[in-house]
Amino acid sequence: MSVLFQRRWQYLPVVMMLLSMLAGLFFINAGLGSWVSKTIKGHLSGLTNDVALHLASDQQHIANLSPKALQNYLSNLSQATKDKRITLIDSDGIVLADTSLSYLEMIAMDNHLSRPEISSAFKDGKGENIHFSTALEVDMLYVAQRVSLQRGPVVVRMAMSMDELESMSRELMWIFIALLSISVLAFAATSVLSAKQVNYRINKERERQEERIINRTQEIELLHRLANMLAACTSIGETQKVVEDIVPRILGDINGSVAMMRSSRNQLEVKLDWGKPWPAAMRYSPSDCWALRKGKYHLANDDYHSLPCHHMQELGHDQSLCIPLTAHGNTIGMLHLYFGESSVKVEQSTLRLAFTIAEHLGLALANLSLQEKLRSQALSDPLTGLYNRRYFDESFEQALIHRSEKHSVALLMLDLDFFKRFNDNFGHDAGDYVLKEVSALIVRMIGSDDIACRLGGEELGVILSHADQSQAMEMATRICRQVSQLHLQLKGISLGKVTVSIGVVSYPQVEGDKEQLVKFADMALYRAKEQGRDRALLYQVELRDSQEKAATHSIPDSSQPTAKPHTDKVVTNIIQSNKLEG
């Protein structure tokens, strides 16, 4: 409705102009006749004066002319035209010559002395009047002027038909109408075109504004989702997936990376990137970045300098941007953007988005770092640095669930032999020292996918994610050997020989859930201690049919727990001893 109202109002100037022109034509038409008469009277007065001057200059020649010759003389004057009649009248009112009549018609004319324009001319020198001409049978406009000649005073009169004046008035009126019509049409066309142009520009601006609103809304939504997803991340790997998916949707096709400050604060390392592979340095010192040294963002090229950061030297003088990532008043890293050629001008909108992303990343990475520290404290043993029992239970459960068909999962249960002796003879500091050294040795020996945990006291557990029975026994044997070769001293005092006993179980070679497998590994560990310690023993399960039930072999130690039999299966503790030399 409002659009229709606006469209109607945009033609109001045209309507008003048309109405004003019609009113103007009415008033012009009303005054045009008198204006034309006045103008023609002035024109005829001028012509009459010219004829009078001409007669005065030729009065000697005129004095000797016959009436007929005088008639021809007036007819040959330039002022005598078809629509302008010249008449010469003497002081007695007799017509001496008339350019619109023949000689005989002129002779037959009555006395003109009674005519108002003639009497006024003889009396005042000039006269004018409008009346009906009996000779031409038409209303005429007369202008008369007195002229003094040798033969006496005469009156020169010029006349023009009122039909000619009305015709001129009509022509002028039509000219006015035509000009006004053209003006109205031109104005209307201009107004319509202007209105269309204005509407077009308004629509274009509205479309651009709507597009800006849509883009801005999308940016806000993407930034909101980025903040939510970053807050939900629990690892740097998840953060990498989030930024490489969402950040390019916000910034477009711009290569970027995030470098994190190490805890020592002497080096930054790129941890996240998106777009193409990051072309600049992956590690650099804080002094290599202008932004870190200034404490604010740094653009490599702008209107006032061309100074790229030192860690961006591989890019030459190409355009790049560095923004510090801050959280809780501390700089935790840097956001880097690479735009390409040095001539690229970074728009303010891009800077604004980059600053907002930097804020979200700074807070998210700071929170992630804090979560990792809290998680590490919650899941690690403060003495040895190994994972604790809680993490062991979670990890062993996950290892069993995600085990592939091609790989086995093995569990090593370790216990330090005669550990109480260290505490009794050398004190608890010595016991703690032995635990830390043995734990560090185990961490160095196992693979990156394997997990070492302290389960309590001197008992340790190792989860081998991709190891079968033979590989698990080989690792356990190596651990026993390496531990027995340790020569530990505390404050210059030798602590003596350290050994461990290890129970080994492998899944799925031995079936069972997490609790059962831990129980089986403990059974093998206890058996290793019974056999003299400093060794690794493998727990095995064999299937026996009903004919072999009578020959079931059990462990002599009555205190040793046994597994519950399954349907058509008898779980036995057939333990292979691997006695180590030395």
Side-chain angles (χ1 to χ4, degrees), residues 201-216:
R201 292 184 179 180
I202 291 174
N203 292 333
K204 280 295 183 182
E205 184 61 30
R206 184 183 295 113
E207 290 176 0
R208 286 193 291 266
Q209 188 67 22
E210 290 175 354
E211 184 178 0
R212 284 193 291 266
I213 293 173
I214 292 173
N215 292 337
R216 184 60 180 155

Side-chain angles (χ1 to χ4, degrees), residues 222-272:
L222 287 172
L223 289 171
H224 179 68
R225 293 198 178 189
L226 176 65
N228 288 340
M229 294 303 296
L230 288 175
C233 291
T234 59
S235 67
I236 198 70
E238 290 181 349
T239 306
Q240 168 67 33
K241 293 179 180 179
V242 170
V243 298
E244 70 181 0
D245 179 71
I246 299 180
V247 173
R249 300 174 189 266
I250 302 174
L251 294 178
D253 189 17
I254 299 176
N255 201 1
S257 69
V258 173
M260 297 294 296
M261 185 81 73
R262 288 189 174 183
S263 56
S264 60
R265 305 195 67 81
N266 63 349
Q267 193 177 51
L268 290 97
E269 182 177 1
V270 173
K271 295 292 186 179
L272 307 172

Side-chain angles (χ1 to χ4, degrees), residues 169-387:
S169 298
R170 287 193 298 270
E171 288 180 2
L172 289 174
M173 192 64 189
W174 281 113
I175 290 173
F176 277 120
I177 293 174
L179 291 176
L180 290 176
S181 300
I182 292 173
S183 299
V184 169
L185 291 175
F187 182 78
T190 304
S191 299
V192 171
L193 291 176
S194 299
K196 288 185 177 180
Q197 186 68 18
V198 169
N199 289 335
Y200 174 77
R201 292 184 179 180
I202 291 174
N203 292 333
K204 280 295 183 182
E205 184 61 30
R206 184 183 295 113
E207 290 176 0
R208 286 193 291 266
Q209 188 67 22
E210 290 175 354
E211 184 178 0
R212 284 193 291 266
I213 293 173
I214 292 173
N215 292 337
R216 184 60 180 155
T217 303
Q218 186 178 10
E219 289 174 1
I220 293 172
E221 178 63 24
L222 287 172
L223 289 171
H224 179 68
R225 293 198 178 189
L226 176 65
N228 288 340
M229 294 303 296
L230 288 175
C233 291
T234 59
S235 67
I236 198 70
E238 290 181 349
T239 306
Q240 168 67 33
K241 293 179 180 179
V242 170
V243 298
E244 70 181 0
D245 179 71
I246 299 180
V247 173
R249 300 174 189 266
I250 302 174
L251 294 178
D253 189 17
I254 299 176
N255 201 1
S257 69
V258 173
M260 297 294 296
M261 185 81 73
R262 288 189 174 183
S263 56
S264 60
R265 305 195 67 81
N266 63 349
Q267 193 177 51
L268 290 97
E269 182 177 1
V270 173
K271 295 292 186 179
L272 307 172
D273 66 336
W274 58 89
K276 298 178 181 178
W278 184 241
M282 301 298 290
R283 295 180 182 85
Y284 60 91
S285 66
S287 61
D288 290 336
C289 184
W290 285 111
L292 274 173
R293 292 161 68 176
K294 294 189 303 181
K296 61 180 295 186
Y297 79 94
H298 178 74
L299 194 61
N301 301 282
D302 60 16
D303 296 335
Y304 305 100
H305 71 257
S306 179
L307 297 171
C309 294
H310 184 67
H311 62 91
M312 297 283 191
Q313 61 183 355
E314 291 88 347
L315 307 178
H317 286 276
D318 287 354
Q319 184 67 286
S320 60
L321 174 66
C322 299
I323 304 175
L325 302 181
T326 57
H328 313 300
N330 297 320
T331 301
I332 64 170
M334 293 294 299
L335 170 65
H336 305 301
L337 297 178
Y338 172 55
F339 297 92
E341 298 179 358
S342 59
S343 60
V344 174
K345 183 175 180 60
V346 181
E347 301 293 338
Q348 288 298 319
S349 59
T350 303
L351 286 176
R352 173 178 51 80
L353 291 173
F355 295 151
T356 306
I357 291 173
E359 291 178 6
H360 291 314
L361 284 173
L363 291 174
L365 293 174
N367 292 335
L368 181 61
S369 177
L370 181 60
Q371 290 176 14
E372 290 179 349
K373 288 181 181 179
L374 294 175
R375 179 177 174 81
S376 177
Q377 293 174 1
L379 299 178
S380 63
D381 176 57
L383 176 64
T384 62
L386 301 179
Y387 292 109

Side-chain angles (χ1 to χ4, degrees), residues 28-198:
I28 288 173
N29 185 52
L32 186 60
S34 61
W35 176 82
V36 171
S37 298
K38 185 177 180 181
T39 302
I40 294 301
K41 285 179 181 179
H43 177 62
L44 291 179
S45 295
L47 294 177
T48 304
N49 188 55
D50 290 342
V51 174
L53 292 175
H54 196 78
L55 292 173
S57 63
D58 288 347
Q59 58 181 324
Q60 293 181 354
H61 175 69
I62 296 172
N64 300 320
L65 294 177
S66 63
K68 191 173 184 178
L70 184 59
Q71 177 92 347
N72 293 332
Y73 176 82
L74 286 180
S75 299
N76 292 327
L77 292 177
S78 61
Q79 290 80 5
T81 59
K82 183 178 181 180
D83 58 336
K84 294 180 181 65
R85 175 185 178 187
I86 302 175
T87 306
L88 189 63
I89 305 161
D90 63 9
S91 59
D92 294 329
I94 299 173
V95 177
L96 301 176
D98 194 317
T99 59
S100 297
L101 301 176
S102 65
Y103 179 73
L104 295 176
E105 290 174 334
M106 181 191 69
I107 295 173
M109 290 184 66
D110 57 357
N111 191 285
H112 280 51
L113 194 59
S114 61
R115 305 288 176 90
E117 71 276 8
I118 302 299
S119 60
S120 296
F122 279 117
K123 181 179 180 181
D124 300 325
K126 288 187 177 182
E128 59 183 37
N129 191 23
I130 299 175
H131 58 81
F132 184 77
S133 174
T134 56
L136 298 178
E137 296 181 351
V138 66
D139 288 333
M140 301 288 288
L141 171 63
Y142 297 99
V143 175
Q145 182 175 337
R146 185 182 62 198
V147 183
S148 297
L149 300 177
Q150 291 180 356
R151 62 189 300 175
V154 294
V155 171
V156 176
R157 186 185 68 177
M158 294 199 71
M160 188 173 185
S161 172
M162 291 301 295
D163 291 342
E164 292 290 337
L165 294 178
E166 293 177 359
S167 176
M168 291 177 63
S169 298
R170 287 193 298 270
E171 288 180 2
L172 289 174
M173 192 64 189
W174 281 113
I175 290 173
F176 277 120
I177 293 174
L179 291 176
L180 290 176
S181 300
I182 292 173
S183 299
V184 169
L185 291 175
F187 182 78
T190 304
S191 299
V192 171
L193 291 176
S194 299
K196 288 185 177 180
Q197 186 68 18
V198 169

Side-chain angles (χ1 to χ4, degrees), residues 411-414 441-442 445-446 462 464 468-485 498-504 534-538 576-582:
L411 173 62
L412 280 58
M413 300 294 288
L414 298 84
L441 174 65
I442 293 173
M445 293 182 65
I446 63 178
V462 177
L464 302 178
D468 55 17
Q469 288 183 352
S470 60
Q471 293 171 332
M473 280 300 298
E474 181 182 355
M475 175 60 71
T477 303
R478 287 177 55 208
I479 291 174
C480 289
R481 183 184 298 112
Q482 293 293 328
V483 170
S484 65
Q485 293 176 359
V498 180
T499 61
V500 294
S501 298
I502 304 176
V504 182
D534 190 18
R535 67 192 63 212
L537 294 181
L538 175 67
Q576 294 181 343
S577 176
N578 224 355
K579 180 66 178 171
L580 303 176
E581 297 181 359

